[in-house]
């Protein structure tokens, strides 16, 4: 694009080496990101525009104009159905605002969305709320820019473009897992579209400086002080009751799914092998899951002979990046610096180039550390930035 990032298009299935959407790489000796876009007419252009806008954000962040954390890990609200209900309610009211036929109806719906938003933020931890706000600004602005550029029209055309995508993402919540990070792309994009539709100039600078909160303030204007009255209204209470029932059902279903998956995982015969690594430039990953729950996960980084492939049942978590897989002891072979590591020597620690082979796992790294415990194996992959 401009020496900061590279963008590729590919027709057909992706090779394993490029299966992750974002593949770390160096561009003219400088770190960048290569985004692999499958050529599907309904998604290709918007994806290209979205990722290109991140390059613009990177330049703004480098010049201290666009300050937002990229640490935007967000998990579905499995522990708090009310938080999930309020998030869904904000999404529904945002769609109502985008679809409103007049400014009065739009303002009423936006007020209700803002009340749901504030209530939810009051329920969750400050760190979680900040991550959600950062995701809305970072990704929501990219979604808005992509929709606006693709529409090639005025504010009305842009509003309609965001409205159509927001309806698809914010209303069709049939699984609690859909209330994760991408959901905030569209709450953010919706607020930006509503702020842009106010009509005055300067809205983009306000949002860049003040985040999505600035968009909310711009949309509501003086009516931002009416939140207590809105929260006590029958219409708001009825809407919350409706989505609360849905959120409780989705939460119960997800808890049952997680309990079943956990039971299936830990009932396997073998020893737990836990891999950990840190995300660095030059690292790419991909993951997919079959309808039956079987998973495949791959990790690659640019130095030759550094990769991990796992298949079957596994647990994955973030920060630190972790993967756990259970491997039959008789089928597990770990070699560090050319020496086989005995699996019955609890407390043993080995460092150096390593390979791990076994049912469902195949890994090798130019550097790493293996620690043997009585009931598990801990492996720290010494991932190095790509060169």
């Amino acid at each position: 694009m401009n020496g900061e990032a590279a963008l590729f298009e590919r027709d057909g299935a992706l090779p394993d080496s490029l299966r992750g959407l974002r593949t770390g790489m160096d561009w003219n000796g400088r770190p960048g990101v290569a985004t692999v876009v499958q050529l599907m007419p309904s998604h290709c252009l918007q994806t290209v525009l979205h990722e290109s806008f991140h390059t613009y954000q990177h330049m703004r962040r480098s010049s201290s104009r666009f300050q937002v954390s990229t640490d935007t890990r967000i998990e579905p609200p499995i522990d708090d159905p009310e938080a999930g209900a309020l998030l869904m309610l904000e999404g529904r009211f945002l769609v109502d605002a985008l679809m409103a036929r007049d400014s009065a109806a739009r303002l009423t719906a936006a007020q209700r969305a803002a009340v749901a938003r504030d209530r939810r933020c009051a329920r969750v931890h400050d760190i979680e709320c900040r991550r959600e706000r950062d995701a809305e600004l970072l990704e929501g602005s990219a979604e808005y820019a992509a929709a606006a550029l693709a529409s090639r029209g005025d504010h009305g055309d842009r509003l309609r473009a965001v409205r159509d995508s927001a309806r698809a993402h914010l209303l069709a919540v049939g699984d609690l897992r859909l209330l994760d990070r991408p959901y905030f792309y569209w709450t953010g994009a919706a607020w930006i579209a509503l702020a842009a539709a106010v009509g005055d100039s300067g809205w983009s600078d306000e949002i860049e400086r003040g985040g999505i909160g600035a968009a909310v303030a711009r949309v509501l204007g003086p009516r931002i002080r009416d939140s207590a009255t809105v929260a006590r209204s029958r219409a708001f209470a009825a809407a919350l009751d409706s989505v609360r029932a849905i959120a409780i059902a989705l939460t119960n279903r997800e808890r049952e799914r997680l309990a079943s998956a956990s039971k299936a995982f830990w009932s396997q015969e073998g020893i737990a092998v836990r891999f950990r690594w840190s995300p660095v430039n030059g690292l790419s990953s991909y993951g997919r899951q079959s309808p039956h729950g079987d998973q495949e996960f791959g990790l690659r980084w640019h130095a030759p002979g550094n990769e991990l492939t796992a298949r079957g049942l596994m647990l994955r978590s973030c920060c630190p990046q972790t993967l756990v897989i259970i491997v039959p002891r008789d089928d597990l072979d770990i070699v560090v610096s050319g020496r086989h590591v005995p699996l019955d020597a609890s407390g043993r620690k080995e460092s150096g180039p390593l390979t791990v082979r076994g049912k469902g796992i195949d890994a090798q790294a130019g550097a790493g550390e293996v620690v043997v415990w009585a009931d598990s194996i801990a492996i720290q992959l010494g991932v190095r930035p790509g060169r």
Side-chain angles (χ1 to χ4, degrees), residues 71-90:
D71 180 19
T72 52
R73 305 181 305 275
I74 298 172
E75 299 293 334
I78 186 67
D79 297 321
D80 189 354
E82 187 74 3
L86 290 165
L87 180 56
M88 293 170 62
L89 189 61
E90 180 187 2

Side-chain angles (χ1 to χ4, degrees), residues 6 14 26 66 94 131 140 177 186 195 215 258 263 297 320 353 379:
L14 304 180
D26 279 0
F66 183 86
L94 282 172
R131 286 174 178 167
R177 288 171 289 179
W186 290 101
L258 289 173
K263 182 178 179 180
F297 175 78
I379 300 174

Side-chain angles (χ1 to χ4, degrees), residues 201-283:
S201 61
W203 61 269
S204 59
D205 286 336
E206 289 179 13
I207 294 171
E208 186 178 51
R209 290 192 300 268
I212 301 301
V216 176
R218 186 180 183 87
V219 172
L220 299 186
R223 297 281 292 276
I224 198 169
R225 297 188 294 269
D226 299 339
S227 59
T229 302
V230 173
R232 290 194 299 267
S233 69
R234 291 183 179 180
F236 184 89
L240 180 55
D241 286 342
S242 175
V243 294
R244 182 183 289 121
I246 296 172
I248 290 173
L250 293 179
T251 301
N252 290 338
R253 187 189 309 164
E254 179 64 5
R255 287 172 176 170
E256 291 173 1
R257 186 194 69 82
L258 289 173
S260 176
S262 178
K263 182 178 179 180
F265 179 82
W266 292 110
S267 65
Q268 299 177 100
E269 294 292 334
I271 187 170
V273 182
R274 184 186 71 231
F275 292 89
R276 285 187 175 177
W277 65 93
S278 299
V280 296
N281 180 54
L283 181 71

Side-chain angles (χ1 to χ4, degrees), residues 96-98 100-111 159 194 197 219:
D96 288 346
L98 292 169
R101 296 181 178 273
D102 57 69
S103 58
R106 180 173 300 157
L107 180 57
T108 297
Q111 280 184 291
L159 190 69
L194 291 170
V219 172

